[in-house]
Amino acid sequence: MLIIGSHVSYKNENQLAGCVMETLEYGANAFMFYTGAPQNVLRTPIDDFKTIKALEMMKENNILLENVICHAPYIINLANNSDMEKYQFAMRFLRQEIERCMTLGVRYLVLHPGSATKLDREYAISNIIKALNNVLIPEDNIVILLETMAGKGSECGINLEEIATIIDNVRLKDKVGVCLDTCHLNDSGIDIKEFDAYLEAFDKRIGLKKIGCVHVNDSKNGIASHKDRHENIGYGTIGFENLLNVIYHPLLENVPKILETPYVDREYPPYKFEIQMIKEKKFNPHLYADIIEYYKNK
Ligand code: FE
Ligand code: FE
Ligand code: ZN
């Protein structure tokens, strides 16, 4: 069965239960959330009562906990240790994020590997490895999914080799995996038209069973543009058919597909309508108009 969902917002009012309600609105059976604003590290304590409510709603609606993904805030940078205090803060925050996930029962945590900034890339990657080895402990019931990055600025994790090097050197290997992002892959230089070839190379170097999540996004920019600007499904340079091919790929059947496409007019979430297109396998040329009409009349 297709496992599809989107990024949803986690607000303190209902916490995880709010995420589930939003997911149901979109007709999805998976979701991804940040435990607070993605840009900052302000976090509120988890209310177990809200978590229990979320788990009940999930059970009633066949949303499996294994298809729920948490995304760490993108300001955590494990690659740069030129400011030791910041580096240590990033590790401490990641540790807390792991604890939060485990309190919620969430098994997957997506992480941007980090940015090298002025450091040598190889050294930056060794910092990521050191940080992960520092943070992860054998008792953790979590898999950190390293996201494939577009190569904007000095991002690390922009090709198979960099991701593989991190995984190769993390001691607790069962606690690291990969999150593919189609927009990032495209922008980093992978042709999604040739996705089978990419998967084959991935399988050889890392192993397909390491893929724990796929972010399905179209891209505003061309192959190898190193930009990282997401576009709505079928409206970018990757295109509807190529994205469908990823979403319905038989080798990724059990992997949750998560949309992180932009809101329409910065206001209206596109996910309900994009998920509908994906389920029907039919491109909607009136996507924006349909979304605006729906939310204006709501
Ligand atoms: Fe991400
Ligand atoms: Fe992503
Ligand atoms: Zn992105």
Side-chain angles (χ1 to χ4, degrees):
M1 197 181 61
L2 176 65
I3 306 166
I4 186 110
S6 70
H7 159 248
V8 294
S9 51
Y10 176 101
K11 296 187 191 113
N12 196 36
E13 193 193 351
N14 293 305
Q15 299 190 348
L16 201 65
C19 296
V20 177
M21 288 185 250
E22 191 177 339
T23 300
L24 295 175
E25 254 175 68
Y26 300 153
N29 58 4
F31 64 92
M32 183 178 79
F33 67 102
Y34 291 81
T35 57
Q39 323 80 306
N40 70 40
V41 288
L42 301 170
R43 297 294 182 265
T44 50
I46 291 163
D47 177 346
D48 289 339
F49 184 76
K50 290 168 183 168
T51 307
I52 290 166
K53 192 175 172 214
L55 295 175
E56 279 171 4
M57 278 194 298
M58 286 167 58
K59 205 171 177 192
E60 276 164 32
N61 292 284
N62 295 313
I63 300 173
L64 304 179
L65 207 43
E66 66 202 60
N67 297 328
V68 175
I69 316 278
C70 180
H71 195 309
Y74 28 80
I75 51 165
I76 293 187
N77 186 3
L78 302 181
N80 185 0
N81 69 344
S82 43
D83 180 337
M84 259 307 165
E85 226 158 89
K86 276 192 190 155
Y87 183 58
Q88 274 164 359
F89 175 82
M91 286 190 271
R92 268 202 316 276
F93 189 87
L94 180 60
R95 184 66 233 161
Q96 288 166 15
E97 199 76 336
I98 291 170
E99 304 283 347
R100 262 191 292 273
C101 283
M102 291 196 292
T103 304
L104 293 166
V106 172
R107 294 265 345 261
Y108 296 98
L109 176 60
V110 171
L111 176 74
H112 293 182
S115 287
T117 55
K118 290 191 178 87
L119 301 179
D120 169 69
R121 289 188 80 77
E122 227 171 280
Y123 179 63
I125 287 170
S126 79
N127 286 334
I128 297 168
I129 294 162
K130 267 183 241 154
L132 289 172
N133 280 330
N134 216 331
V135 166
L136 287 165
I137 56 172
E139 291 73 28
D140 286 338
N141 187 13
I142 193 95
V143 181
I144 296 201
L145 300 175
L146 302 165
E147 184 163 354
T148 60
M149 301 311 289
K152 190 174 67 178
S154 60
E155 282 171 345
C156 299
I158 61 171
N159 55 46
L160 268 183
E161 208 38 51
E162 289 188 352
I163 298 272
T165 302
I166 300 171
I167 295 176
D168 283 347
N169 290 286
V170 170
R171 280 191 302 271
L172 299 168
K173 279 195 204 339
D174 56 326
K175 303 191 198 311
V176 278
V178 181
C179 170
L180 304 180
D181 183 311
T182 55
C183 168
H184 299 175
L185 286 176
N186 173 80
D187 291 15
S188 76
I190 301 294
D191 188 349
I192 302 295
K193 269 205 270 338
E194 311 291 334
F195 190 63
D196 279 6
Y198 176 76
L199 281 187
E200 207 184 306
F202 190 103
D203 196 32
K204 260 201 193 127
R205 185 64 182 85
I206 297 176
L208 289 181
K209 62 178 191 306
K210 281 287 182 200
I211 301 175
C213 180
V214 179
H215 288 170
V216 184
N217 303 303
D218 215 325
S219 175
K220 284 195 198 298
N221 296 286
I223 296 172
S225 57
H226 306 297
K227 287 277 209 271
D228 188 6
R229 294 195 60 212
H230 301 185
E231 183 54 281
N232 292 107
I233 303 299
Y235 284 80
T237 60
I238 302 174
F240 191 66
E241 291 303 323
N242 292 322
L243 290 171
L244 274 192
N245 184 40
V246 173
I247 294 165
Y248 286 98
H249 203 290
L251 292 173
L252 301 177
E253 207 194 334
N254 300 317
V255 178
K257 320 296 182 314
I258 300 291
L259 305 174
E260 308 172 289
T261 47
Y263 275 33
V264 176
D265 292 343
R266 290 168 175 258
E267 214 179 320
Y268 309 115
Y271 308 122
K272 178 184 169 71
F273 289 83
E274 287 180 322
I275 288 170
Q276 194 184 341
M277 280 201 299
I278 289 166
K279 284 182 178 168
E280 291 169 358
K281 300 187 187 181
K282 193 168 173 288
F283 179 67
N284 175 2
H286 312 291
L287 183 72
Y288 295 136
D290 288 352
I291 291 167
I292 292 167
E293 192 190 272
Y294 175 81
Y295 283 102
K296 279 204 167 145
N297 295 325
K298 221 184 146 196

